[in-house]
Amino acid sequence: MKNINNLFLSTFLLGASIVHAQQADILITNGKITTLSDNNQDVEAVAISDNKIVRTGTNSEILKLKGKNTTVVDAQNRRVIPGLFDSHMHVIRGGRFYNTELRWDGVTSLKRALQMLKEQAARTPEGQWVRVVGGWNEYQFEEKRLPTIEEINEATGNTPTFILYLYGKAWLNKAGLQKLNIMGDTPNPSEGLIEKDEKGNPTGLLVAEPNAFILYSTLAKLPELTEEEKVNSTLQYMTELNRVGVTGVMDAGGGFQNFPDDYRITDSLDKQGKITVRLPYYLFAQKKGAELTDYTNWTGMVEIDADHNNGHNEIDYEVAGGGENLIADAADFENFLFPRPELPATMEKSLGDVIAVLVKKRWPFRIHATYDESINRFLNVIEEVNEETPLDGLVWFFDHAETVTEENLQRIKALGGGIAIQHRMAYQGESFIKRYGRKPALNSPPTKKILELGIPIGLGTDGTRVASYNPWVALYWVTTGKTVGGNQVMAEENTLDRTTALRLATHKGYELIKDKKKGKIEKGYYADLIILDNDYFTVPDESIKNITSKLTIVDGKIVYGDKDYGSIAPVALPVLPAWSPVKHFGGYQNQ
């Protein structure tokens, strides 16, 4: 009798699960859906139940899964792709300041940029600053030049202003110099310059020579938002990422991003279920000389989830490892306005001690590495640690690697490492050529060789303080080899076809950290996908940069929709504070 009851119960539960499976939560129909499955099949429709994709196929096949509570989304014959995964961005830090920043990303004329500056200066209240923080260069402007300090002063008047240009320099207007009490006798910081005129007065130009500390430490002195405004700012930034199609990010930590204090905003949003991008994050040591102590403490506090098990309808938010800078002595700044920095002789010992702790504790790690000369020395350290404590499949990778050689690629492969590349050359390609010549730029980074060797590789942006957070600029760069100014920097034979490039921005990015079942539109994969406003596969090259999402789904939930999908998308939050540049200009500019 017990066996009969058990059989009845099993049959009932199986029947109930089948009924549930036949009633999807969301159906997307009438789409040109790029699945990125192994056979690269395109389909018309997809069904989502809970946070997983349960079926793909034709409209008629998928509509059979419609139930009374199913949301049916008509893609209107638009391109649908997996949500984009940025393998290197600074979301947690960037979110705290997003609402304070005037974005010149995508602005096509200096005239317009200066007009935006003037308008923002007029509305910025006493006690706050106008700040332009990365994501632009002079080559994107019709005028093909930088603003002058006279133009900046004229546009901003008595409102303190800070404008960051790549990792190379920044401008302070007269009011900003006065506010920070920078005068003729203010000493230059180590590896930095406060430019003076012939009378010994500061001009307003700050120069990294080559260390960007002068730029970041100055930026860190500017006033922050209130806690309420920081929460709103972080939510606005994540919505902006959703708008450009980003559904996941590997956060690379960053300078002046202290753990755990500066993570409390995202910690709170995670507990409330309000995070709308997958957000595994890496811890970046902040104090030179104390890095080993930090990582020893952190590895004792946090156990890494190697399986990336995000549970049920919960977006990933977790410590993923250490980096991108493990020690200060290993920072090889990519300031192409100055020669490559020589790392100190103390670097190997300090880096080896930190990596040894991470390997023993099975903590994945990532290392900022621009130049092959640095990579060579880092590999010496990693190989030595590996002899003592085998990596044994532990996730580790280099970030950037613009000038890595094939010899060192072979060493990376032998150690089971990977590489996360970004579109920094789209913003600094011209500067790189001016210093190192055209030939080295043709293969920087050697993307096709990395793929040919089978080394795990992901694509990202390194937004927001140097390059833009817009992933479509990265896809434009890696498929055309051109900078934001339209100059051919990468050799055409080193560029990727659009499908391969998209793979680097989706499932291959996840594979870099051995995270399975994400980045494809396929049965059993997590439901992260976007409906595009223009077809990535058919638009002209120059139009790739301006693609956005019309509808974004993360973990089976609709997190963003434009006006065409307003009835099923979350209502947009008002921007705080009222003077925020984001409220008046938005984020990435298509003008």
Side-chain angles (χ1 to χ4, degrees):
M1 184 66 180
K2 182 177 180 181
N3 290 338
I4 293 175
N5 287 339
N6 286 342
L7 177 62
F8 175 79
L9 179 60
S10 297
T11 302
F12 174 79
L13 292 174
L14 176 62
S17 66
I18 291 173
V19 169
H20 179 71
Q22 289 176 338
Q23 295 183 356
D25 295 318
I26 298 175
L27 302 180
I28 297 179
T29 62
N30 298 320
K32 294 185 287 188
I33 301 175
T34 299
T35 63
L36 293 184
S37 59
D38 290 344
N39 62 6
N40 203 31
Q41 179 187 15
D42 278 10
V43 297
E44 281 185 314
V46 57
I48 297 168
S49 185
D50 294 327
N51 62 344
K52 296 284 185 67
I53 293 165
V54 294
R55 191 172 181 184
T56 62
T58 64
N59 288 331
S60 59
E61 289 170 337
I62 298 306
L63 283 170
K64 292 176 183 177
L65 304 183
K66 179 183 177 182
K68 63 179 182 179
N69 296 318
T70 301
T71 298
V72 180
V73 179
D74 184 354
Q76 300 176 349
N77 202 36
R78 294 185 181 275
R79 180 66 60 184
V80 182
I81 65 171
L84 301 179
F85 179 64
D86 190 321
S87 56
H88 186 121
M89 197 193 288
H90 302 273
V91 173
I92 296 172
R93 181 183 66 189
R96 290 162 50 217
F97 299 100
Y98 177 69
N99 282 5
T100 68
E101 295 172 358
L102 176 65
R103 305 304 308 180
W104 280 355
D105 311 37
V107 176
T108 57
S109 76
L110 178 58
K111 180 180 179 180
R112 173 59 182 160
L114 290 169
Q115 179 61 35
M116 294 169 70
L117 198 66
K118 182 177 182 179
E119 291 176 20
Q120 186 56 37
R123 71 170 61 93
T124 300
E126 178 72 26
Q128 272 294 348
W129 286 58
V130 175
R131 54 193 102 183
V132 178
V133 184
W136 66 280
N137 73 14
E138 67 270 40
Y139 299 101
Q140 75 190 48
F141 297 145
E142 296 169 0
E143 297 89 342
K144 304 299 180 186
R145 68 173 179 87
L146 295 169
T148 65
I149 190 62
E150 290 78 17
E151 289 172 324
I152 293 169
N153 279 319
E154 182 180 354
T156 57
N158 294 324
T159 306
T161 299
F162 174 93
I163 299 175
L164 179 66
Y165 173 78
L166 307 174
Y167 268 134
K169 50 193 173 184
W171 293 268
L172 291 168
N173 69 347
K174 288 181 179 179
L177 288 170
Q178 293 170 0
K179 201 75 173 178
L180 297 178
N181 200 31
I182 295 175
M183 299 178 290
D185 57 356
T186 302
N188 293 322
S190 176
E191 298 184 85
L193 171 70
I194 301 171
E195 185 187 70
K196 313 290 195 310
D197 62 20
E198 64 277 5
K199 295 181 180 180
N201 298 315
T203 63
L205 180 64
L206 308 178
V207 183
E209 292 186 332
N211 195 319
F213 177 79
I214 185 175
L215 311 180
Y216 281 7
S217 60
T218 302
L219 183 58
K221 295 174 183 176
L222 306 193
E224 296 194 15
L225 296 170
T226 67
E227 288 296 297
E228 179 188 11
E229 290 165 348
K230 286 180 187 176
V231 169
N232 183 272
S233 180
T234 299
L235 290 171
Q236 297 292 344
Y237 186 37
M238 289 190 292
T239 297
E240 170 69 356
L241 293 177
N242 296 151
R243 184 185 73 86
V244 293
V246 175
T247 59
V249 170
M250 265 200 283
D251 190 286
F256 298 90
Q257 177 68 21
N258 294 289
F259 180 82
D261 294 350
D262 291 332
Y263 291 74
R264 67 179 182 270
I265 300 297
T266 42
D267 286 347
S268 172
L269 292 174
D270 176 57
K271 291 175 183 176
Q272 298 174 58
K274 292 183 177 181
I275 288 180
T276 62
V277 292
R278 299 190 186 278
L279 197 55
Y281 58 91
Y282 288 73
L283 300 187
F284 182 128
Q286 299 294 320
K287 187 176 180 182
K288 183 175 181 178
E291 299 98 336
L292 181 59
T293 299
D294 281 341
Y295 283 113
T296 300
N297 291 338
W298 294 338
T299 55
M301 293 166 54
V302 179
E303 185 174 342
I304 301 296
D305 180 6
D307 294 326
H308 304 278
N309 181 15
N310 70 325
H312 179 75
N313 282 77
E314 295 177 4
I315 294 176
D316 319 48
Y317 175 74
E318 59 195 4
V319 176
E324 66 179 292
N325 277 25
L326 296 177
I327 62 168
D329 281 350
D332 69 338
F333 293 99
E334 71 287 2
N335 179 2
F336 300 141
L337 300 178
F338 282 83
R340 172 182 61 83
E342 285 291 342
L343 304 181
T346 55
M347 184 275 291
E348 278 83 355
K349 174 66 168 60
S350 300
L351 182 62
D353 288 345
V354 168
I355 291 179
V357 167
L358 296 175
V359 175
K360 287 174 183 176
K361 293 289 189 176
R362 306 306 295 166
W363 260 48
F365 61 92
R366 62 195 303 169
I367 303 177
H368 169 107
T370 301
Y371 303 98
D372 187 67
E373 292 84 351
S374 306
I375 290 170
N376 189 65
R377 291 175 64 182
F378 298 158
L379 285 170
N380 291 341
V381 173
I382 297 169
E383 288 167 344
E384 187 174 319
V385 172
N386 184 52
E387 288 181 7
E388 181 71 25
T389 308
L391 291 164
D392 193 26
L394 182 69
V395 169
W396 76 272
F397 55 94
F398 286 122
D399 284 296
H400 318 311
E402 275 85 0
T403 68
V404 65
T405 59
E406 183 173 353
E407 178 183 357
N408 279 332
L409 287 176
Q410 294 285 4
R411 295 171 70 191
I412 293 168
K413 181 178 181 179
L415 289 164
I419 298 177
I421 64 169
Q422 300 80 39
H423 62 178
R424 302 191 310 177
M425 289 291 281
Y427 291 86
Q428 300 189 84
E430 291 89 352
S431 298
F432 184 95
I433 288 173
K434 286 180 179 180
R435 177 157 298 278
Y436 298 108
R438 180 164 182 76
K439 186 175 180 180
L442 296 174
N443 207 36
S444 294
T447 309
K448 277 198 171 174
K449 179 58 67 173
I450 296 169
L451 285 166
E452 179 186 312
L453 291 172
I455 296 171
I457 179 174
L459 178 65
T461 64
D462 202 5
T464 59
R465 290 187 173 179
V466 177
S468 175
Y469 56 80
N470 186 350
W472 297 102
V473 177
L475 286 162
Y476 163 80
W477 161 75
V478 83
T479 55
T480 67
K482 294 180 180 180
T483 66
V484 292
N487 295 314
Q488 190 74 43
V489 173
M490 184 190 295
E492 291 185 15
E493 55 266 28
N494 190 41
T495 61
L496 304 180
D497 65 84
R498 294 190 188 187
T499 299
T500 301
L502 184 59
R503 290 186 184 279
L504 266 58
T506 52
H507 67 92
K508 283 192 175 294
Y510 284 112
E511 291 163 13
L512 180 65
I513 55 171
K514 300 182 180 179
D515 194 351
K516 301 176 182 178
K517 297 297 183 181
K518 291 172 188 162
K520 296 182 181 181
I521 301 177
E522 193 169 46
K523 182 178 179 180
Y525 274 68
Y526 287 94
D528 301 344
L529 47 86
I530 54 180
I531 300 176
L532 302 181
D533 66 340
N534 283 300
D535 192 336
Y536 165 67
F537 292 104
T538 61
V539 295
D541 288 344
E542 293 300 317
S543 297
I544 293 175
K545 293 178 288 188
N546 295 325
I547 291 174
T548 60
S549 174
K550 292 185 70 64
L551 184 82
T552 302
I553 295 175
V554 180
D555 208 50
K557 299 184 183 70
I558 297 171
V559 297
Y560 169 80
D562 70 0
K563 64 182 188 310
D564 291 341
Y565 293 103
S567 63
I568 57 173
V571 176
L573 290 174
V575 179
L576 299 176
W579 56 265
S580 168
V582 173
K583 179 175 182 178
H584 299 276
F585 297 111
Y588 189 88
Q589 305 289 304
N590 295 333
Q591 54 184 305

